[in-house]
Amino acid sequence: MLTTSILANIGSFLMHYMKKIIVLSLFTLLCLFTKANEIEIKNTVLKSTNNSYQISIKIVGKESPGIFKLTVSIPDEYTIDVYNNSNLLIDTRGQLIKFYSNFDSGNQVEINCKLSKKDMDESEASIPIHLEYSLNGNLIVLDKEIILSDHEIITSEKMDSLSHHLEEISKQNENKDAIALAKMKNLPSTTTENKNSKEDLTSMPEGYNSSTKSGLSGSNKSYSVQILSLQFYNEKRLNEFLNVYKLKASETFKKEVNGMVKIYTGKFKTYEEAKALKEKLIKQNNLTDSFVVSY
C-alpha cells in the first residue's frame, strides 16, 4: 500500500510538472508567433516578353518600429540592377546584397531591382531571402523565397517604362547625398585590397609570420576593418547603421573603388589589433562581411 501511495504521488507530481512544461511551451510559441507577425514580407515578380524580371520586395512593419537587415542571394546565372532608395542602406558584395533600414510603426519599405538571365535557358530559379528584424531588443528571423516562376507577364515596353521610372527616382536619391559623400573622410589612397579572394578570419597581411605571430618589422603600415561596401551612399541610413552597431562616425572612413563606396573603421599599427576588432564586429555585431585592409 505504501509503495502504491508513493507511486501515485510521483505520478501526480510528474503530471503537474508536465502540464507546466506544456503551458510554458505554448506560451513561448504564442510569443514567437506574435513577434513574427509584427513584420511581413511581400514579393511581386513581373516578367517581360524579353525574359527580364522586375522584382519588388515590401517589408511591412505592422505595429512596432524596428530595424531590419534583409539578405538576398542572387544565383550566379543572373545579373541584378538595384535601384537606390532613400530609406535603405545597400551593401553589395557580388551576388550577395544586404539591405538595412530603420522604419517607424505601420510603415513599409519597398526594395526594387531588375533581374536578367545570362543565358537563354528557360528554367527559373528561386531566390532565397533572409530577414533579421530587431524589435524591442529581440531578434526576429524570417526566411522566404522569391519564386521567379510565380510571375505576371508584361510587355517589353511596359518593363522599359517601369525601369526608366525607377532609374529616375534612383538618380534623384543619389544626388541628395553627393555633398555629404564629398565631405566624408577618405582612407589614404595607398590602401591595398585583395580583389580576387574572399577575406576570412584567418587571412594574414603580406609579410605576416603566422608561426611567430610577428608583424612587418620596420613597416609604417596601418590597418583598418572594412564593414560596408555601398552601391549608393546614404548619409542618414549610414548614421543609423553606425548607431545600431555602436560605431562612432568620427572613426569611420570611406574609399571609392569602381563606383562602390567602401566604409572602414578603426586605425591600428598592428594587424593583430585590427583582426581583434574584426572578430568583435563579427561575433558581437553580426557584421559577418568585415575584413582587414592595410595601407
Side-chain angles (χ1 to χ4, degrees), residues 181-198:
L181 178 60
K183 290 181 179 179
M184 189 176 180
K185 292 181 295 183
N186 283 287
L187 204 67
S189 58
T190 54
T191 298
T192 59
E193 294 179 338
N194 187 343
K195 299 180 181 179
N196 297 319
S197 62
K198 185 178 180 180

mmCIF file of all heavy atoms in Angstrom, residues 181-198:
data_model
loop_
_atom_site.group_PDB
_atom_site.id
_atom_site.type_symbol
_atom_site.label_atom_id
_atom_site.label_comp_id
_atom_site.label_asym_id
_atom_site.label_seq_id
_atom_site.Cartn_x
_atom_site.Cartn_y
_atom_site.Cartn_z
ATOM 1 N N LEU A 181 28.746 62.963 -49.159
ATOM 2 C CA LEU A 181 29.774 61.985 -49.519
ATOM 3 C C LEU A 181 31.115 62.671 -49.726
ATOM 4 O O LEU A 181 32.158 62.175 -49.300
ATOM 5 C CB LEU A 181 29.363 61.227 -50.785
ATOM 6 C CG LEU A 181 30.356 60.197 -51.323
ATOM 7 C CD1 LEU A 181 30.615 59.121 -50.286
ATOM 8 C CD2 LEU A 181 29.850 59.586 -52.615
ATOM 9 N N ALA A 182 31.094 63.841 -50.367
ATOM 10 C CA ALA A 182 32.327 64.578 -50.634
ATOM 11 C C ALA A 182 33.003 65.030 -49.337
ATOM 12 O O ALA A 182 34.230 65.143 -49.263
ATOM 13 C CB ALA A 182 32.030 65.784 -51.517
ATOM 14 N N LYS A 183 32.205 65.282 -48.287
ATOM 15 C CA LYS A 183 32.741 65.765 -47.014
ATOM 16 C C LYS A 183 33.259 64.643 -46.127
ATOM 17 O O LYS A 183 34.011 64.893 -45.185
ATOM 18 C CB LYS A 183 31.651 66.526 -46.259
ATOM 19 C CG LYS A 183 31.277 67.862 -46.896
ATOM 20 C CD LYS A 183 30.214 68.568 -46.067
ATOM 21 C CE LYS A 183 29.858 69.921 -46.682
ATOM 22 N NZ LYS A 183 28.804 70.605 -45.886
ATOM 23 N N MET A 184 32.861 63.405 -46.405
ATOM 24 C CA MET A 184 33.274 62.295 -45.553
ATOM 25 C C MET A 184 34.768 62.037 -45.683
ATOM 26 O O MET A 184 35.344 62.134 -46.772
ATOM 27 C CB MET A 184 32.494 61.029 -45.923
ATOM 28 C CG MET A 184 32.710 59.891 -44.955
ATOM 29 S SD MET A 184 31.687 58.447 -45.364
ATOM 30 C CE MET A 184 32.187 57.327 -44.054
ATOM 31 N N LYS A 185 35.419 61.681 -44.575
ATOM 32 C CA LYS A 185 36.864 61.459 -44.570
ATOM 33 C C LYS A 185 37.242 60.270 -45.458
ATOM 34 O O LYS A 185 36.581 59.250 -45.474
ATOM 35 C CB LYS A 185 37.344 61.185 -43.140
ATOM 36 C CG LYS A 185 37.244 62.375 -42.212
ATOM 37 C CD LYS A 185 37.757 62.034 -40.835
ATOM 38 C CE LYS A 185 36.913 60.991 -40.141
ATOM 39 N NZ LYS A 185 37.373 60.706 -38.773
ATOM 40 N N ASN A 186 38.374 60.443 -46.166
ATOM 41 C CA ASN A 186 38.875 59.378 -47.030
ATOM 42 C C ASN A 186 39.928 58.553 -46.318
ATOM 43 O O ASN A 186 40.728 59.074 -45.531
ATOM 44 C CB ASN A 186 39.501 59.964 -48.303
ATOM 45 C CG ASN A 186 38.462 60.415 -49.301
ATOM 46 O OD1 ASN A 186 37.818 59.608 -49.937
ATOM 47 N ND2 ASN A 186 38.288 61.722 -49.420
ATOM 48 N N LEU A 187 39.941 57.262 -46.601
ATOM 49 C CA LEU A 187 41.060 56.432 -46.198
ATOM 50 C C LEU A 187 42.209 56.770 -47.141
ATOM 51 O O LEU A 187 41.968 57.083 -48.309
ATOM 52 C CB LEU A 187 40.681 54.955 -46.334
ATOM 53 C CG LEU A 187 41.457 53.959 -45.478
ATOM 54 C CD1 LEU A 187 41.149 54.180 -44.002
ATOM 55 C CD2 LEU A 187 41.125 52.538 -45.863
ATOM 56 N N PRO A 188 43.465 56.745 -46.666
ATOM 57 C CA PRO A 188 44.589 57.063 -47.563
ATOM 58 C C PRO A 188 44.540 56.262 -48.851
ATOM 59 O O PRO A 188 44.182 55.091 -48.863
ATOM 60 C CB PRO A 188 45.809 56.683 -46.712
ATOM 61 C CG PRO A 188 45.352 56.892 -45.311
ATOM 62 C CD PRO A 188 43.904 56.483 -45.298
ATOM 63 N N SER A 189 44.927 56.893 -49.947
ATOM 64 C CA SER A 189 44.774 56.288 -51.278
ATOM 65 C C SER A 189 45.663 55.087 -51.501
ATOM 66 O O SER A 189 45.535 54.385 -52.491
ATOM 67 C CB SER A 189 45.068 57.330 -52.362
ATOM 68 O OG SER A 189 46.375 57.847 -52.208
ATOM 69 N N THR A 190 46.604 54.819 -50.579
ATOM 70 C CA THR A 190 47.503 53.675 -50.743
ATOM 71 C C THR A 190 46.913 52.390 -50.190
ATOM 72 O O THR A 190 47.599 51.387 -50.106
ATOM 73 C CB THR A 190 48.844 53.943 -50.036
ATOM 74 O OG1 THR A 190 48.578 54.302 -48.671
ATOM 75 C CG2 THR A 190 49.602 55.079 -50.708
ATOM 76 N N THR A 191 45.645 52.433 -49.796
ATOM 77 C CA THR A 191 45.009 51.218 -49.270
ATOM 78 C C THR A 191 45.154 50.059 -50.246
ATOM 79 O O THR A 191 44.929 50.206 -51.437
ATOM 80 C CB THR A 191 43.511 51.455 -49.039
ATOM 81 O OG1 THR A 191 43.380 52.490 -48.061
ATOM 82 C CG2 THR A 191 42.837 50.202 -48.507
ATOM 83 N N THR A 192 45.526 48.883 -49.735
ATOM 84 C CA THR A 192 45.656 47.699 -50.588
ATOM 85 C C THR A 192 44.542 46.730 -50.272
ATOM 86 O O THR A 192 44.213 46.494 -49.115
ATOM 87 C CB THR A 192 47.018 47.008 -50.369
ATOM 88 O OG1 THR A 192 47.126 46.634 -48.992
ATOM 89 C CG2 THR A 192 48.160 47.939 -50.725
ATOM 90 N N GLU A 193 43.966 46.154 -51.311
ATOM 91 C CA GLU A 193 42.895 45.188 -51.136
ATOM 92 C C GLU A 193 43.127 44.015 -52.074
ATOM 93 O O GLU A 193 43.601 44.180 -53.192
ATOM 94 C CB GLU A 193 41.536 45.813 -51.440
ATOM 95 C CG GLU A 193 41.142 46.902 -50.471
ATOM 96 C CD GLU A 193 39.796 47.497 -50.834
ATOM 97 O OE1 GLU A 193 39.400 47.380 -52.001
ATOM 98 O OE2 GLU A 193 39.156 48.075 -49.953
ATOM 99 N N ASN A 194 42.794 42.841 -51.631
ATOM 100 C CA ASN A 194 42.849 41.663 -52.479
ATOM 101 C C ASN A 194 41.503 41.512 -53.157
ATOM 102 O O ASN A 194 40.535 41.111 -52.539
ATOM 103 C CB ASN A 194 43.177 40.421 -51.639
ATOM 104 C CG ASN A 194 43.423 39.206 -52.500
ATOM 105 O OD1 ASN A 194 43.053 39.169 -53.677
ATOM 106 N ND2 ASN A 194 44.056 38.199 -51.904
ATOM 107 N N LYS A 195 41.426 41.858 -54.436
ATOM 108 C CA LYS A 195 40.145 41.855 -55.134
ATOM 109 C C LYS A 195 39.725 40.473 -55.620
ATOM 110 O O LYS A 195 38.587 40.264 -55.997
ATOM 111 C CB LYS A 195 40.203 42.812 -56.335
ATOM 112 C CG LYS A 195 40.467 44.254 -55.940
ATOM 113 C CD LYS A 195 40.517 45.139 -57.164
ATOM 114 C CE LYS A 195 40.797 46.587 -56.789
ATOM 115 N NZ LYS A 195 40.871 47.452 -57.984
ATOM 116 N N ASN A 196 40.691 39.528 -55.627
ATOM 117 C CA ASN A 196 40.409 38.229 -56.235
ATOM 118 C C ASN A 196 40.056 37.144 -55.226
ATOM 119 O O ASN A 196 39.666 36.057 -55.598
ATOM 120 C CB ASN A 196 41.631 37.767 -57.052
ATOM 121 C CG ASN A 196 41.923 38.725 -58.194
ATOM 122 O OD1 ASN A 196 41.005 39.201 -58.850
ATOM 123 N ND2 ASN A 196 43.201 39.018 -58.412
ATOM 124 N N SER A 197 40.200 37.425 -53.937
ATOM 125 C CA SER A 197 39.905 36.389 -52.955
ATOM 126 C C SER A 197 39.017 36.944 -51.862
ATOM 127 O O SER A 197 39.073 38.122 -51.538
ATOM 128 C CB SER A 197 41.211 35.855 -52.329
ATOM 129 O OG SER A 197 41.880 36.888 -51.640
ATOM 130 N N LYS A 198 38.208 36.071 -51.293
ATOM 131 C CA LYS A 198 37.298 36.472 -50.237
ATOM 132 C C LYS A 198 38.031 36.461 -48.906
ATOM 133 O O LYS A 198 38.671 35.491 -48.538
ATOM 134 C CB LYS A 198 36.100 35.514 -50.186
ATOM 135 C CG LYS A 198 35.050 35.942 -49.170
ATOM 136 C CD LYS A 198 33.876 34.997 -49.203
ATOM 137 C CE LYS A 198 32.808 35.418 -48.199
ATOM 138 N NZ LYS A 198 31.657 34.505 -48.214
#
